[in-house]
Amino acid sequence: MYVGSYGRGTAISTSDIDILLELPKNEYYHYSSLTGNGQSRLLQTVKKSVLSRYPRTEVHGDGQVVVVVFSDGMRFELLPAFETSSGEYEYPDTHMGGNWKSTNPKAEQEALKRKDVESNGLLVDTCRQIRFLRDTYFTNEHLPGILIDAFVYDSIANWHWGSGNGTSHQSEYSSGHPYEESLLKKFRIATAWGGVPQWRAPGSGMRIDNSASICNSLGKILKKMAEE
């Protein structure tokens, strides 16, 4: 299953793709029963499996994923995971002696898709525009794709692309501010007086990193959008 920005349909590059590898549940019980960081052993098993098929390819473990980098620059991050009865997935985290974490990419993808349809495509276009500005003008800033998507999902309100004229409109209760300015205003309200925003992953409600440095990066990009 494609996950991450590519899976949510908000990526602007296809050279870095996240893939969730759903494994049999019995493997979860096996690696959970091992002593000495079974999660790390699971990643090593996946790594060896990839290397057996692509022996000349750069392959290494990285905390929660196995990273595969091909000679043409294509990069894949493989996340081994196990589906639960609730539809979520548990995946390995090798840090702090090893543990399992949860994710729900299906719920996130479905939530974004619904709101993108409601906005006539404005949601995805906005997420991609923010990524473009990040990668073009703010290359030294760290701004994860999931935070971009969560912010836009939470802030887009009733804005949507108009039919045929390329502009965005809100409902009859619109304050009249341009769309980009409304996003910047919502960001400033959420971060006023040093406040820590509580944006969560759309659909799943999973916690994401809302640290000050990351939010500061988002603020710089939103300001540029509003000024252009």
Side-chain angles (χ1 to χ4, degrees):
M1 178 198 308
Y2 292 120
V3 293
S5 296
Y6 187 80
R8 294 190 298 272
T10 53
I12 60 173
S13 171
T14 57
S15 62
D16 190 347
I17 298 177
D18 301 323
I19 299 177
L20 184 149
L21 302 177
E22 184 177 347
L23 303 180
K25 193 67 175 183
N26 63 299
E27 295 295 326
Y28 171 81
Y29 297 123
H30 169 67
Y31 286 100
S32 292
S33 67
L34 298 179
T35 58
N37 205 328
Q39 291 78 9
S40 178
R41 297 190 192 185
L42 172 57
L43 288 189
Q44 290 302 313
T45 299
V46 174
K47 174 184 173 181
K48 290 178 181 178
S49 178
V50 174
L51 281 172
S52 68
R53 178 64 178 84
Y54 303 101
R56 298 182 180 179
T57 301
E58 177 187 342
V59 183
H60 63 273
D62 187 10
Q64 301 165 350
V65 297
V66 173
V67 180
V68 183
V69 184
F70 290 96
S71 58
D72 61 358
M74 283 293 297
R75 174 189 172 98
F76 294 88
E77 293 191 2
L78 309 180
L79 178 71
F82 306 90
E83 188 172 16
T84 68
S85 58
S86 66
E88 295 183 356
Y89 289 87
E90 291 191 319
Y91 62 92
D93 180 7
T94 63
H95 298 110
M96 303 296 290
N99 60 87
W100 300 101
K101 291 188 174 182
S102 297
T103 185
N104 195 340
K106 291 180 180 178
E108 295 168 9
Q109 293 172 10
E110 291 170 0
L112 281 169
K113 183 177 181 180
R114 284 195 300 270
K115 185 156 286 193
D116 189 55
V117 170
E118 294 171 1
S119 68
N120 291 338
L122 180 61
L123 182 142
V124 166
D125 285 348
T126 304
C127 293
R128 289 176 176 173
Q129 182 185 13
I130 293 175
R131 284 171 169 79
F132 172 78
L133 293 173
R134 176 197 63 187
D135 297 347
T136 304
Y137 301 104
F138 301 92
T139 55
N140 293 325
E141 302 287 343
H142 174 58
L143 181 57
I146 186 60
L147 180 67
I148 295 173
D149 297 348
F151 168 76
V152 177
Y153 180 88
D154 187 66
S155 304
I156 195 170
N158 294 320
W159 288 94
H160 58 274
W161 281 123
S163 56
N165 60 9
T167 59
S168 53
H169 300 274
Q170 225 181 357
S171 70
E172 58 183 309
Y173 303 105
S174 171
S175 62
H177 293 296
Y179 172 58
E180 291 79 3
E181 290 184 8
S182 75
L183 293 179
L184 180 59
K185 181 179 180 180
K186 290 192 175 185
F187 171 82
R188 286 174 171 169
I189 291 174
T191 57
W193 308 107
V196 178
Q198 298 300 315
W199 297 309
R200 290 175 177 260
S204 69
M206 297 288 181
R207 290 183 178 275
I208 58 177
D209 189 353
N210 287 275
S211 61
S213 60
I214 290 177
C215 289
N216 184 53
S217 297
L218 177 60
K220 292 178 182 178
I221 296 173
L222 294 173
K223 183 179 179 182
K224 182 173 181 60
M225 285 175 59
E227 292 175 346
E228 288 187 342

